[in-house]
Structure formats: structure tokens, C-alpha cells
Amino acid sequence: MLQNYRSVNEKIVLATGDCNRMPNHIRLVAVSKTKPKEDIMQLYNAGHRSFGENYVQELVEKAAALPKDIKWHFIGHLQVIK
């Protein structure tokens, strides 16, 4: 997982250099749906702070248990519990 993360970041730096944009204008959001908190913490410990969830319940649970400086993003459509 960390190797994939580093690879994507390298591609962002290369792509932004090709179009004269600064890499800090790009926000990489790691989709953490269905991922355990331990996986999220691996990326967090590598310096990543933006994560996306598509279920409100998962977002609320993970946000309560993980570091407070994570920037959470709601992705997709709001799901209805039946």
C-alpha cells in the first residue's frame, strides 16, 4: 500500500511539473472505504491527511477513532439504511 501511495505522489509531482503547476494545488484523497483503521494509520504515518468515505456510518466511526487532523471527504451518493 505505501509503495502505491508513493508511486502516485511521484506521478503527481511529474505531471504538475509538465504543466507548470505546483503539486500543492493537487489534493490526493485516499479512498478508505472498507479499509481497516490500521491501513489508514499507515498512510497517516507516511504524512497523508485526506481520506474519503462513502458511508456516513463508516466515516463517523473512523473519524472518532483516528487522529483529529485527518481531513475527511464524503464521496459518492448518500446511502440510505433500510
Coordinates of all heavy atoms in Angstrom, one line a residue:
M1 N 0.8 -1.2 0.0 CA 0.0 0.0 0.0 C 0.9 1.3 0.0 O 0.6 2.2 -0.8 CB -0.9 0.0 1.2 CG -1.8 1.2 1.3 SD -2.9 1.3 2.7 CE -2.1 0.6 4.0
L2 N 1.9 1.3 0.9 CA 2.7 2.5 0.9 C 3.5 2.7 -0.4 O 3.7 3.9 -0.8 CB 3.7 2.4 2.1 CG 3.1 2.6 3.5 CD1 4.2 2.4 4.5 CD2 2.5 4.0 3.6
Q3 N 3.9 1.6 -1.1 CA 4.6 1.8 -2.3 C 3.6 2.4 -3.4 O 4.0 3.3 -4.1 CB 5.1 0.4 -2.8 CG 5.9 0.5 -4.1 CD 7.1 1.5 -4.0 OE1 7.7 1.6 -3.0 NE2 7.4 2.2 -5.1
N4 N 2.4 2.0 -3.4 CA 1.4 2.5 -4.3 C 1.2 4.0 -4.0 O 1.1 4.9 -5.0 CB 0.1 1.8 -4.2 CG 0.1 0.4 -4.9 OD1 1.0 0.1 -5.6 ND2 -0.8 -0.4 -4.5
Y5 N 1.1 4.4 -2.8 CA 0.9 5.8 -2.4 C 2.1 6.6 -2.8 O 1.9 7.7 -3.4 CB 0.8 5.8 -0.8 CG 0.8 7.2 -0.3 CD1 -0.2 8.1 -0.5 CD2 1.9 7.6 0.5 CE1 -0.2 9.4 0.0 CE2 1.9 8.9 1.1 CZ 0.9 9.8 0.8 OH 0.9 11.0 1.3
R6 N 3.3 6.1 -2.6 CA 4.5 6.9 -3.0 C 4.6 7.0 -4.5 O 4.9 8.1 -5.1 CB 5.7 6.2 -2.5 CG 5.8 6.4 -0.9 CD 7.1 5.8 -0.4 NE 7.2 6.0 1.0 CZ 7.1 4.9 1.9 NH1 7.1 3.7 1.5 NH2 7.1 5.2 3.2
S7 N 4.2 6.0 -5.2 CA 4.2 6.0 -6.7 C 3.2 7.0 -7.2 O 3.5 7.8 -8.2 CB 3.8 4.6 -7.2 OG 3.7 4.6 -8.6
V8 N 2.0 7.1 -6.7 CA 1.0 8.1 -7.1 C 1.5 9.5 -6.8 O 1.4 10.4 -7.7 CB -0.4 7.8 -6.4 CG1 -1.3 9.0 -6.6 CG2 -1.0 6.5 -6.9
N9 N 2.1 9.7 -5.7 CA 2.6 11.0 -5.3 C 3.7 11.4 -6.3 O 3.8 12.6 -6.7 CB 3.2 11.1 -3.9 CG 2.1 11.4 -2.9 OD1 1.2 12.2 -3.2 ND2 2.2 10.9 -1.7
E10 N 4.6 10.5 -6.7 CA 5.7 10.8 -7.7 C 5.1 11.2 -9.0 O 5.5 12.1 -9.7 CB 6.6 9.6 -7.8 CG 7.5 9.4 -6.6 CD 8.3 8.1 -6.8 OE1 8.4 7.5 -7.9 OE2 8.8 7.6 -5.7
K11 N 4.0 10.5 -9.4 CA 3.3 10.8 -10.7 C 2.7 12.2 -10.7 O 2.7 12.9 -11.7 CB 2.3 9.7 -11.0 CG 2.9 8.4 -11.4 CD 1.9 7.3 -11.6 CE 2.6 6.0 -12.0 NZ 1.6 4.9 -12.1
I12 N 2.2 12.6 -9.5 CA 1.6 13.9 -9.4 C 2.6 15.0 -9.5 O 2.5 15.9 -10.3 CB 0.8 14.0 -8.0 CG1 -0.4 13.2 -8.0 CG2 0.5 15.5 -7.7 CD1 -1.1 13.1 -6.7
V13 N 3.8 14.8 -8.9 CA 4.9 15.7 -9.0 C 5.4 15.8 -10.4 O 5.6 16.9 -11.0 CB 6.0 15.3 -8.1 CG1 7.3 16.2 -8.3 CG2 5.6 15.5 -6.6
L14 N 5.5 14.7 -11.1 CA 6.0 14.7 -12.5 C 4.9 15.4 -13.4 O 5.3 16.2 -14.3 CB 6.2 13.3 -13.0 CG 7.5 12.6 -12.4 CD1 7.5 11.2 -12.8 CD2 8.7 13.3 -12.8
A15 N 3.7 15.1 -13.2 CA 2.6 15.6 -14.1 C 2.5 17.1 -13.9 O 2.3 17.9 -14.8 CB 1.3 14.9 -13.8
T16 N 2.5 17.6 -12.6 CA 2.4 19.0 -12.4 C 3.6 19.8 -12.9 O 3.5 20.9 -13.3 CB 2.2 19.3 -10.9 OG1 3.2 18.7 -10.1 CG2 0.8 18.8 -10.4
G17 N 4.8 19.1 -12.9 CA 5.9 19.8 -13.5 C 5.8 20.0 -15.0 O 6.2 21.0 -15.5
D18 N 5.2 19.0 -15.6 CA 5.0 19.1 -17.1 C 4.0 20.2 -17.5 O 4.1 20.7 -18.6 CB 4.5 17.8 -17.6 CG 5.5 16.7 -17.6 OD1 6.7 17.0 -17.5 OD2 5.2 15.5 -17.8
C19 N 3.1 20.6 -16.6 CA 2.1 21.6 -17.0 C 2.3 22.9 -16.1 O 1.4 23.7 -16.1 CB 0.7 21.1 -16.8 SG 0.2 20.6 -15.2
N20 N 3.5 23.1 -15.5 CA 3.8 24.3 -14.8 C 2.9 24.6 -13.7 O 2.5 25.7 -13.4 CB 4.0 25.5 -15.7 CG 5.1 25.3 -16.7 OD1 6.2 24.8 -16.3 ND2 4.9 25.7 -17.9
R21 N 2.4 23.6 -13.0 CA 1.5 23.7 -11.8 C 2.3 23.2 -10.6 O 3.1 22.3 -10.7 CB 0.2 23.0 -12.0 CG -0.6 23.5 -13.1 CD -2.0 22.9 -13.1 NE -2.7 23.5 -12.1 CZ -4.0 23.2 -11.8 NH1 -4.6 22.3 -12.5 NH2 -4.6 23.8 -10.8
M22 N 2.0 23.8 -9.5 CA 2.6 23.4 -8.2 C 1.9 22.1 -7.7 O 0.6 22.1 -7.7 CB 2.5 24.5 -7.2 CG 3.2 25.8 -7.6 SD 5.0 25.5 -7.8 CE 5.5 25.2 -6.2
P23 N 2.6 21.1 -7.2 CA 2.0 19.9 -6.7 C 1.0 20.2 -5.5 O 0.1 19.5 -5.3 CB 3.1 19.1 -6.2 CG 4.3 19.6 -6.9 CD 4.0 21.0 -7.2
N24 N 1.2 21.3 -4.7 CA 0.4 21.6 -3.6 C -1.0 22.1 -4.0 O -1.9 22.3 -3.2 CB 1.0 22.5 -2.6 CG 1.4 23.8 -3.2 OD1 1.3 24.0 -4.4 ND2 1.8 24.8 -2.4
H25 N -1.2 22.3 -5.3 CA -2.6 22.6 -5.8 C -3.4 21.4 -6.1 O -4.6 21.5 -6.5 CB -2.5 23.5 -7.1 CG -2.0 24.9 -6.8 ND1 -0.7 25.2 -7.0 CD2 -2.6 26.0 -6.3 CE1 -0.5 26.5 -6.7 NE2 -1.7 27.0 -6.3
I26 N -2.8 20.2 -6.0 CA -3.5 19.0 -6.2 C -3.7 18.3 -4.9 O -2.9 18.2 -4.0 CB -2.6 18.0 -7.1 CG1 -2.2 18.7 -8.3 CG2 -3.3 16.7 -7.3 CD1 -3.2 19.1 -9.3
R27 N -5.0 17.8 -4.6 CA -5.3 17.1 -3.4 C -5.5 15.6 -3.7 O -6.5 15.3 -4.5 CB -6.5 17.7 -2.7 CG -6.8 16.9 -1.4 CD -8.0 17.5 -0.6 NE -7.5 18.8 -0.2 CZ -8.3 19.9 -0.1 NH1 -9.5 19.8 -0.6 NH2 -7.9 21.0 0.3
L28 N -4.7 14.8 -3.2 CA -4.9 13.4 -3.3 C -5.8 12.9 -2.2 O -5.4 13.0 -1.0 CB -3.5 12.6 -3.3 CG -3.6 11.1 -3.3 CD1 -4.3 10.6 -4.6 CD2 -2.2 10.6 -3.2
V29 N -6.9 12.3 -2.5 CA -7.8 11.8 -1.4 C -7.7 10.3 -1.5 O -8.1 9.7 -2.5 CB -9.3 12.3 -1.6 CG1 -10.2 11.7 -0.6 CG2 -9.3 13.8 -1.6
A30 N -7.3 9.7 -0.4 CA -7.2 8.2 -0.4 C -8.6 7.7 0.0 O -9.1 8.0 1.0 CB -6.1 7.8 0.6
V31 N -9.1 6.9 -0.9 CA -10.4 6.3 -0.6 C -10.2 5.2 0.4 O -9.6 4.2 0.2 CB -11.1 5.7 -1.9 CG1 -12.4 5.1 -1.6 CG2 -11.3 6.9 -2.8
S32 N -10.8 5.4 1.6 CA -10.5 4.4 2.7 C -11.7 3.6 3.0 O -11.7 2.8 4.0 CB -10.2 5.2 4.0 OG -11.1 6.2 4.3
K33 N -12.7 3.6 2.2 CA -13.9 2.8 2.4 C -13.5 1.3 2.4 O -12.7 0.9 1.7 CB -15.0 3.0 1.4 CG -14.7 2.6 0.0 CD -15.8 2.9 -1.0 CE -15.5 2.2 -2.3 NZ -16.7 2.3 -3.2
T34 N -14.1 0.6 3.4 CA -13.9 -0.8 3.6 C -12.5 -1.1 4.2 O -12.2 -2.3 4.4 CB -14.2 -1.7 2.4 OG1 -13.1 -1.6 1.4 CG2 -15.5 -1.5 1.8
K35 N -11.6 -0.1 4.3 CA -10.3 -0.3 4.8 C -10.3 -0.2 6.4 O -11.0 0.6 6.9 CB -9.3 0.7 4.3 CG -9.2 0.6 2.8 CD -8.6 -0.7 2.3 CE -8.4 -0.7 0.8 NZ -8.1 -2.0 0.3
P36 N -9.5 -1.1 7.0 CA -9.4 -1.0 8.5 C -8.6 0.2 8.9 O -7.9 0.8 8.2 CB -8.7 -2.3 8.9 CG -7.9 -2.7 7.7 CD -8.7 -2.2 6.5
K37 N -8.9 0.6 10.2 CA -8.2 1.8 10.7 C -6.7 1.6 10.7 O -6.0 2.6 10.5 CB -8.7 2.0 12.2 CG -10.1 2.4 12.3 CD -10.5 2.5 13.7 CE -12.0 2.3 13.9 NZ -12.4 1.0 14.0
E38 N -6.2 0.4 10.8 CA -4.7 0.2 10.7 C -4.1 0.6 9.4 O -3.0 1.2 9.3 CB -4.4 -1.3 11.0 CG -4.8 -1.7 12.4 CD -6.3 -2.0 12.6 OE1 -7.0 -2.2 11.6 OE2 -6.7 -2.1 13.8
D39 N -4.9 0.3 8.3 CA -4.4 0.7 6.9 C -4.4 2.3 6.8 O -3.5 2.8 6.2 CB -5.3 0.1 5.9 CG -5.1 -1.3 5.6 OD1 -4.2 -1.9 6.3 OD2 -5.8 -1.9 4.8
I40 N -5.4 2.9 7.3 CA -5.5 4.4 7.3 C -4.3 4.9 8.1 O -3.7 5.9 7.6 CB -6.8 4.9 7.8 CG1 -8.0 4.4 6.9 CG2 -6.9 6.4 8.0 CD1 -9.3 4.5 7.5
M41 N -4.0 4.4 9.2 CA -2.9 4.9 10.0 C -1.5 4.7 9.3 O -0.7 5.5 9.5 CB -2.9 4.2 11.4 CG -3.9 4.7 12.4 SD -3.8 6.5 12.7 CE -2.1 6.7 13.3
Q42 N -1.4 3.7 8.5 CA -0.1 3.5 7.8 C 0.1 4.7 6.9 O 1.2 5.3 6.8 CB -0.2 2.3 6.9 CG 0.3 1.0 7.6 CD 0.5 -0.1 6.6 OE1 -0.3 -0.3 5.7 NE2 1.6 -0.8 6.8
L43 N -1.0 5.1 6.1 CA -0.8 6.3 5.3 C -0.7 7.6 6.1 O 0.1 8.5 5.7 CB -2.0 6.4 4.3 CG -2.0 5.5 3.1 CD1 -3.2 5.8 2.2 CD2 -0.8 5.5 2.3
Y44 N -1.4 7.7 7.2 CA -1.3 8.8 8.1 C 0.1 9.0 8.5 O 0.7 10.1 8.5 CB -2.3 8.7 9.2 CG -2.2 9.8 10.2 CD1 -3.0 10.9 10.0 CD2 -1.4 9.8 11.3 CE1 -3.0 12.0 10.9 CE2 -1.3 10.8 12.2 CZ -2.1 11.9 12.0 OH -2.1 13.0 12.9
N45 N 0.7 7.9 9.0 CA 2.1 7.9 9.5 C 3.1 8.3 8.4 O 4.2 8.7 8.7 CB 2.4 6.6 10.2 CG 1.7 6.5 11.5 OD1 1.4 7.4 12.2 ND2 1.5 5.2 11.9
A46 N 2.7 8.1 7.1 CA 3.5 8.4 6.0 C 3.3 9.9 5.6 O 3.9 10.4 4.7 CB 3.2 7.5 4.8
G47 N 2.4 10.6 6.3 CA 2.2 12.0 6.1 C 0.9 12.4 5.4 O 0.6 13.6 5.2
H48 N 0.1 11.4 5.0 CA -1.2 11.7 4.3 C -2.3 12.1 5.2 O -2.4 11.5 6.3 CB -1.6 10.4 3.5 CG -2.6 10.8 2.4 ND1 -2.3 11.5 1.3 CD2 -3.9 10.5 2.4 CE1 -3.4 11.6 0.6 NE2 -4.4 11.1 1.2
R49 N -3.1 13.1 4.8 CA -4.1 13.5 5.7 C -5.5 13.6 5.1 O -6.5 13.9 5.8 CB -3.8 15.0 6.2 CG -2.5 15.0 7.1 CD -2.7 14.3 8.4 NE -1.6 14.3 9.3 CZ -0.6 13.5 9.3 NH1 -0.5 12.5 8.5 NH2 0.4 13.7 10.2
S50 N -5.7 13.3 3.9 CA -7.0 13.4 3.2 C -7.6 12.0 2.9 O -6.9 11.3 2.1 CB -7.0 14.3 2.0 OG -6.7 15.6 2.3
F51 N -8.7 11.7 3.5 CA -9.3 10.4 3.2 C -10.8 10.5 2.9 O -11.4 11.4 3.3 CB -9.2 9.5 4.5 CG -7.7 9.1 4.8 CD1 -7.0 10.0 5.6 CD2 -7.2 8.0 4.3 CE1 -5.7 9.7 5.9 CE2 -5.8 7.7 4.6 CZ -5.1 8.5 5.4
G52 N -11.3 9.6 2.1 CA -12.7 9.6 1.6 C -13.4 8.4 2.0 O -12.9 7.3 1.9
E53 N -14.7 8.6 2.4 CA -15.6 7.5 2.7 C -16.9 7.8 2.0 O -17.3 8.9 1.7 CB -15.9 7.5 4.2 CG -14.7 7.1 5.1 CD -14.5 5.6 5.0 OE1 -15.4 4.8 4.7 OE2 -13.3 5.2 5.3
N54 N -17.6 6.7 1.7 CA -18.9 6.8 1.0 C -20.1 6.4 1.9 O -21.2 6.4 1.5 CB -18.9 6.2 -0.4 CG -18.9 4.7 -0.3 OD1 -18.4 4.1 0.7 ND2 -19.4 4.0 -1.3
Y55 N -19.8 5.9 3.1 CA -20.9 5.6 4.0 C -20.7 6.5 5.3 O -19.6 6.5 5.9 CB -20.8 4.1 4.5 CG -21.2 3.2 3.4 CD1 -20.2 2.4 2.7 CD2 -22.5 3.0 3.0 CE1 -20.6 1.5 1.7 CE2 -22.9 2.1 2.0 CZ -21.9 1.4 1.3 OH -22.2 0.5 0.3
V56 N -21.7 7.2 5.6 CA -21.7 8.1 6.8 C -21.3 7.4 8.0 O -20.5 7.8 8.8 CB -23.1 8.8 7.0 CG1 -23.1 9.6 8.2 CG2 -23.4 9.7 5.8
Q57 N -21.9 6.2 8.2 CA -21.6 5.4 9.4 C -20.1 5.1 9.6 O -19.5 5.2 10.7 CB -22.4 4.1 9.5 CG -23.9 4.3 9.5 CD -24.5 4.5 8.1 OE1 -23.8 4.7 7.1 NE2 -25.8 4.6 8.0
E58 N -19.5 4.7 8.5 CA -18.0 4.4 8.5 C -17.2 5.6 8.8 O -16.3 5.6 9.5 CB -17.6 3.7 7.2 CG -17.8 2.3 7.1 CD -17.0 1.6 6.0 OE1 -15.8 1.7 5.9 OE2 -17.7 1.0 5.1
L59 N -17.6 6.7 8.1 CA -16.9 8.0 8.3 C -16.9 8.4 9.8 O -15.9 8.8 10.4 CB -17.4 9.1 7.4 CG -16.6 10.4 7.3 CD1 -16.9 11.0 6.0 CD2 -16.9 11.3 8.4
V60 N -18.1 8.4 10.4 CA -18.3 8.8 11.7 C -17.5 7.9 12.7 O -16.8 8.4 13.6 CB -19.8 8.8 12.1 CG1 -20.0 9.0 13.6 CG2 -20.5 9.9 11.4
E61 N -17.5 6.6 12.5 CA -16.8 5.7 13.3 C -15.3 5.9 13.2 O -14.6 6.0 14.2 CB -17.1 4.2 12.9 CG -16.4 3.2 13.7 CD -16.6 1.8 13.2 OE1 -17.8 1.5 12.8 OE2 -15.7 1.0 13.1
K62 N -14.8 6.0 12.0 CA -13.3 6.2 11.8 C -12.9 7.5 12.3 O -11.8 7.7 12.9 CB -13.0 6.0 10.3 CG -13.1 4.5 9.9 CD -12.9 4.3 8.4 CE -13.0 2.9 8.0 NZ -12.9 2.7 6.6
A63 N -13.7 8.6 12.0 CA -13.3 9.9 12.5 C -13.2 10.0 14.0 O -12.3 10.7 14.5 CB -14.3 11.0 12.0
A64 N -14.0 9.3 14.7 CA -14.0 9.3 16.2 C -12.7 8.5 16.7 O -12.2 8.9 17.8 CB -15.2 8.6 16.7
A65 N -12.3 7.5 16.0 CA -11.2 6.7 16.4 C -9.8 7.1 15.9 O -8.8 6.6 16.5 CB -11.5 5.2 16.0
L66 N -9.7 7.9 14.9 CA -8.4 8.2 14.3 C -8.0 9.7 14.6 O -8.9 10.4 15.2 CB -8.5 8.0 12.8 CG -8.7 6.5 12.4 CD1 -9.1 6.4 11.0 CD2 -7.4 5.7 12.7
P67 N -6.8 10.1 14.3 CA -6.3 11.4 14.6 C -7.3 12.5 14.1 O -7.9 12.4 13.0 CB -5.0 11.5 14.0 CG -4.5 10.1 13.9 CD -5.7 9.3 13.7
K68 N -7.4 13.5 14.9 CA -8.4 14.6 14.6 C -7.9 15.5 13.5 O -8.8 16.3 12.9 CB -8.6 15.4 15.8 CG -9.2 14.6 17.0 CD -10.4 13.9 16.6 CE -10.9 13.0 17.8 NZ -11.6 11.8 17.3
D69 N -6.7 15.5 13.0 CA -6.3 16.4 11.9 C -6.5 15.7 10.6 O -6.1 16.3 9.6 CB -4.8 16.8 12.1 CG -3.8 15.7 12.1 OD1 -4.2 14.5 12.4 OD2 -2.6 15.9 11.7
I70 N -7.1 14.6 10.5 CA -7.4 14.0 9.2 C -8.5 14.8 8.6 O -9.5 15.2 9.2 CB -7.9 12.5 9.4 CG1 -6.7 11.6 9.7 CG2 -8.6 12.0 8.1 CD1 -7.0 10.2 10.0
K71 N -8.4 15.1 7.3 CA -9.4 15.8 6.5 C -10.3 14.7 5.8 O -9.8 14.0 4.9 CB -8.8 16.7 5.5 CG -8.0 17.9 6.1 CD -7.4 18.7 5.1 CE -6.6 19.8 5.7 NZ -5.2 19.6 5.8
W72 N -11.5 14.6 6.3 CA -12.4 13.6 5.7 C -13.2 14.2 4.6 O -13.7 15.3 4.7 CB -13.4 13.1 6.8 CG -12.7 12.3 7.9 CD1 -12.3 12.7 9.1 CD2 -12.2 11.0 7.8 NE1 -11.6 11.7 9.8 CE2 -11.6 10.6 9.0 CE3 -12.3 10.0 6.8 CZ2 -11.0 9.4 9.2 CZ3 -11.7 8.7 7.0 CH2 -11.1 8.4 8.2
H73 N -13.5 13.4 3.6 CA -14.2 13.8 2.4 C -15.3 12.7 2.2 O -15.1 11.5 2.3 CB -13.4 13.8 1.2 CG -12.2 14.8 1.3 ND1 -12.3 16.1 0.9 CD2 -11.0 14.6 1.8 CE1 -11.2 16.7 1.2 NE2 -10.4 15.8 1.7
F74 N -16.5 13.2 2.0 CA -17.6 12.3 1.7 C -17.7 12.2 0.2 O -17.8 13.1 -0.5 CB -19.0 12.9 2.2 CG -20.1 11.9 2.1 CD1 -20.2 10.8 3.0 CD2 -21.0 12.0 1.1 CE1 -21.2 9.9 2.9 CE2 -22.1 11.1 1.0 CZ -22.1 10.0 1.9
I75 N -17.6 10.9 -0.3 CA -17.5 10.7 -1.7 C -18.8 9.9 -2.2 O -19.3 9.1 -1.4 CB -16.2 10.0 -2.2 CG1 -16.1 8.7 -1.4 CG2 -15.1 10.9 -2.0 CD1 -14.9 7.8 -1.8
G76 N -19.2 10.1 -3.4 CA -20.4 9.3 -3.8 C -21.7 9.9 -3.4 O -21.8 11.0 -3.0
H77 N -22.7 9.0 -3.5 CA -24.1 9.4 -3.1 C -24.4 9.0 -1.7 O -23.8 8.0 -1.2 CB -25.1 8.7 -4.0 CG -24.9 9.1 -5.5 ND1 -25.3 10.3 -6.0 CD2 -24.4 8.4 -6.5 CE1 -25.0 10.3 -7.3 NE2 -24.4 9.2 -7.6
L78 N -25.2 9.8 -1.0 CA -25.6 9.5 0.3 C -26.4 8.2 0.3 O -27.3 8.0 -0.5 CB -26.5 10.6 0.9 CG -26.9 10.5 2.4 CD1 -25.6 10.5 3.2 CD2 -27.8 11.6 2.7
Q79 N -25.9 7.2 1.2 CA -26.5 5.9 1.2 C -27.7 5.9 2.2 O -27.6 6.5 3.3 CB -25.5 4.9 1.6 CG -24.3 4.9 0.8 CD -24.5 4.4 -0.6 OE1 -25.3 3.4 -0.8 NE2 -23.9 5.0 -1.6
V80 N -28.7 5.1 2.0 CA -29.9 5.0 2.9 C -29.8 3.7 3.5 O -29.6 2.6 2.9 CB -31.2 5.2 2.1 CG1 -32.4 5.0 3.0 CG2 -31.2 6.5 1.4
I81 N -30.0 3.7 4.9 CA -30.1 2.4 5.6 C -31.5 2.0 5.6 O -32.4 2.8 6.0 CB -29.6 2.6 7.0 CG1 -28.1 3.0 7.0 CG2 -29.7 1.3 7.8 CD1 -27.5 3.3 8.4
K82 N -31.8 0.7 5.3 CA -33.2 0.2 5.3 C -33.3 -0.8 6.4 O -32.4 -1.5 6.7 CB -33.6 -0.3 4.0 CG -33.6 0.7 2.9 CD -34.1 0.2 1.6 CE -34.1 1.3 0.6 NZ -34.7 1.0 -0.6

